[in-house]
């Protein structure tokens, strides 16, 4: 048994190394589905691990319990060449240099809360202003910078469970919040993320994952040539600090109209600074629906995004500056990756007309998102 486990670890790690370091290698598919683990260092006196999820096809996702971060998602392109469609690093160290949330779990509140405060049941809560005067992605030490408790439900199924207790008052938020996130790599190359949470005091909650994608698998290509559809007739316009005014505006006749597939670069010049906007999804309820599709002609890859959430932040890597280096040694330059962050709308705690983000004691928070990659 020990020998089998060792072989699985060795096999998965060597495949991963090949995949991440050399985008042109073909992959040996003779690998068993499941999950393996290796030591990745320590943070805050806690052990950090890198987990490799392998599905039936031999495709892989790597995740660390530091920040619940997805570090790679390796799939084949149309020529059978393997590379990661998610940007990231091969070691823990660069993740400690505060990259802009690469692959991480985001909480307690993904996106921004205006003026870093909100009022709930008559009490005003002051949060850390870490984005000008606003709070962004959970504050100074959000869920992306903590070590999650990891467990493996079964080592023959590619699934990882992460748990984190965010204590009452952490980053200014009320209530002890117990969060569980389950990552699964499905056999049809879906990276499924299930979020569950419970609280002992009412609190705003907006969990998401901040993976950056480049479907070509090579960040020396920017993402402006990839084609995007978002099933959203409306978006939430923002002020210069990216806080929504509260208006829900039609995308019709604007650069935000992705209702039919178009190149990301098509109307890009008309959006000052690039896209960094929340789209109001057309879906009517909290069922798991397809909300976006991205395709790339270079690799032939397609990515379908499914979610239970009402909003989607489309971000075109407008603050990427080449400082961080992706798997394989390429600098992560401006617009070399995009994010599709499934979420509730930014600043909802201060916008009574937006769907509520308040979780109350006794309620069960449950959201699901799937990023499914295929090849044409
Ligand atoms: C989110 C925000 C962006 C930016 C990135 C991280 O997507 O909407 O404005 O802060 O995170 O750099």
């Amino acid at each position: 048994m020990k020998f089998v486990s060792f072989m699985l670890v060795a096999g998965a790690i060597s495949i991963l190394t090949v995949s991440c370091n050399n985008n042109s290698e073909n992959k040996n598919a003779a690998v068993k589905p499941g999950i393996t683990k290796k030591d990745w260092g320590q943070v805050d006196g806690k052990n950090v691990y890198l987990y490799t999820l392998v599905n039936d096809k031999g495709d892989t996702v790597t995740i660390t319990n530091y920040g619940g971060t997805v570090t790679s998602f390796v799939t084949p392109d149309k020529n059978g060449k393997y590379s990661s469609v998610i940007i990231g690093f091969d070691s823990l160290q660069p993740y400690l240099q505060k990259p802009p949330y690469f692959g991480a779990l985001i909480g307690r509140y993904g996106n921004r809360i205006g003026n870093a405060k909100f009022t709930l049941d008559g009490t005003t809560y002051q949060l850390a202003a870490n984005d000008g005067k606003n709070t962004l992605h959970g504050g100074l030490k959000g869920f992306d910078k903590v070590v999650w408790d990891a467990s493996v439900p079964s080592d023959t199924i590619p699934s990882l469970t992460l748990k984190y207790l965010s204590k009452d008052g952490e980053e200014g938020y009320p209530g002890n919040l117990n969060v569980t996130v389950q990552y699964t790599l499905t056999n049809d190359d879906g990276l499924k993320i299930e979020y569950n949470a419970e609280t002992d005091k009412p609190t705003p909650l907006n969990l998401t994952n901040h993976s950056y994608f480049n479907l070509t698998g090579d960040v020396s290509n920017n993402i402006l040539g990839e084609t995007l559809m978002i099933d959203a007739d409306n978006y939430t316009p923002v002020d210069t600090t990216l806080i929504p005014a509260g208006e829900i505006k039609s995308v019709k006749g604007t650069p935000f109209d992705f209702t039919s597939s178009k190149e990301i670069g098509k109307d890009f010049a008309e959006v000052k600074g690039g896209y960094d906007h929340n789209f109001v999804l057309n879906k009517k309820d909290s069922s798991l629906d397809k909300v976006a599709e991205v395709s790339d002609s270079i690799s032939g890859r397609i990515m379908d995004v499914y979610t239970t959430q009402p909003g989607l932040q489309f971000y075109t890597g407008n603050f990427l500056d080449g400082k961080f280096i992706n798997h394989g040694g390429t600098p992560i330059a401006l617009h070399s990756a995009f994010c599709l962050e499934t979420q509730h709308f930014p600043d909802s705690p201060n916008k009574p007309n937006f769907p509520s983000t308040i979780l109350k004691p006794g309620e069960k928070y449950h959201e699901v998102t799937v990023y499914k990659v295929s090849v044409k």
Side-chain angles (χ1 to χ4, degrees):
M1 183 62 200
K2 270 205 176 115
F3 177 70
V4 171
S5 307
F6 168 77
M7 288 304 285
L8 270 175
V9 176
I13 288 171
S14 63
I15 278 164
L16 186 72
T17 310
V18 165
S19 307
C20 291
N21 293 340
N22 185 344
N23 287 343
S24 63
E25 288 292 328
N26 282 322
K27 189 155 117 172
N28 167 15
V31 65
K32 291 201 180 125
I35 179 165
T36 58
K37 161 180 170 183
K38 70 170 184 175
D39 291 333
W40 234 38
Q42 277 210 332
V43 175
D44 297 339
K46 294 179 185 154
N47 290 333
V48 174
Y49 300 101
L50 184 72
Y51 295 86
T52 300
L53 282 63
V54 186
N55 70 8
D56 272 358
K57 294 201 265 178
D59 298 340
T60 59
V61 165
T62 50
I63 301 167
T64 171
N65 60 323
Y66 175 70
T69 302
V70 180
T71 67
S72 74
F73 183 2
V74 177
T75 72
D77 71 4
K78 62 183 177 192
N79 299 315
K81 289 176 186 160
Y82 285 76
S83 54
S84 178
V85 295
I86 286 182
I87 66 169
F89 312 127
D90 297 332
S91 67
L92 177 60
Q93 217 279 333
Y95 285 105
L96 306 180
Q97 309 303 311
K98 303 198 178 152
Y101 310 98
F102 292 166
L105 291 177
I106 305 294
R108 196 176 286 202
Y109 197 93
N111 216 310
R112 293 170 176 79
I113 296 179
N115 295 314
K117 64 180 178 197
F118 65 92
T119 301
L120 182 57
D121 300 334
T123 304
T124 298
Y125 294 88
Q126 185 63 54
L127 311 164
N130 63 333
D131 188 54
K133 58 187 174 74
N134 305 320
T135 194
L136 172 69
H137 293 335
L140 295 174
K141 189 170 181 177
F143 295 180
D144 59 299
K145 294 182 187 69
V146 301
V147 179
W148 293 64
D149 293 325
S151 58
V152 170
S154 153
D155 64 3
T156 57
I157 296 169
S159 186
L160 177 69
T161 306
L162 297 173
K163 286 183 192 289
Y164 179 64
L165 166 63
S166 169
K167 294 213 173 116
D168 189 10
E170 185 180 275
E171 294 292 325
Y173 289 96
N176 291 296
L177 180 79
N178 269 299
V179 186
T180 303
V181 175
Q182 175 117 8
Y183 281 110
T184 304
L185 175 60
T186 64
N187 286 330
D188 56 358
D189 284 346
L191 172 58
K192 183 175 182 194
I193 315 171
E194 294 175 81
Y195 305 86
N196 289 290
E198 287 184 73
T199 182
D200 62 4
K201 281 185 193 165
T203 179
L205 181 62
N206 191 22
L207 300 174
T208 192
N209 174 278
H210 210 304
S211 286
Y212 287 70
F213 297 90
N214 181 318
L215 295 191
T216 73
D218 176 359
V219 294
S220 60
N221 303 307
N222 74 34
I223 46 85
L224 301 182
E226 299 187 24
T227 300
L228 172 66
M229 181 284 293
I230 303 177
D231 188 13
D233 291 341
N234 296 285
Y235 75 111
T236 50
V238 285
D239 68 15
T240 52
T241 71
L242 299 174
I243 296 293
E247 186 193 357
I248 298 202
K249 194 177 169 202
S250 170
V251 296
K252 212 163 182 197
T254 77
F256 302 97
D257 191 348
F258 286 95
T259 51
S260 308
S261 291
K262 74 173 178 198
E263 262 190 23
I264 293 172
K266 179 157 183 283
D267 301 322
F268 195 74
E270 292 172 51
V271 186
K272 203 166 171 258
Y275 293 99
D276 194 356
H277 293 82
N278 171 63
F279 287 74
V280 176
L281 298 170
N282 288 337
K283 65 204 297 303
K284 291 282 170 268
D285 57 26
S286 59
S287 52
L288 183 66
D289 297 316
K290 178 170 162 179
V291 297
E293 180 175 327
V294 192
S295 55
D296 160 53
S297 56
I298 300 175
S299 65
R301 287 193 184 91
I302 298 172
M303 183 169 79
D304 296 318
V305 183
Y306 300 79
T307 192
T308 55
Q309 300 247 33
L312 185 69
Q313 183 85 4
F314 173 47
Y315 171 58
T316 43
N318 312 330
F319 303 117
L320 298 175
D321 58 5
K323 191 169 107 195
F324 290 98
I325 309 296
N326 194 28
H327 305 293
T330 313
I332 302 164
L334 185 67
H335 311 316
S336 65
F338 64 84
C339 302
L340 287 170
E341 300 154 64
T342 57
Q343 57 169 15
H344 267 254
F345 309 167
D347 202 29
S348 295
N350 295 310
K351 297 286 183 313
N353 60 320
F354 286 177
S356 173
T357 51
I358 306 302
L359 181 72
K360 297 186 181 133
E363 292 177 347
K364 287 187 193 305
Y365 175 97
H366 177 71
E367 301 287 357
V368 182
T369 291
V370 182
Y371 297 100
K372 186 175 159 319
V373 179
S374 56
V375 76
K376 223 187 335 205

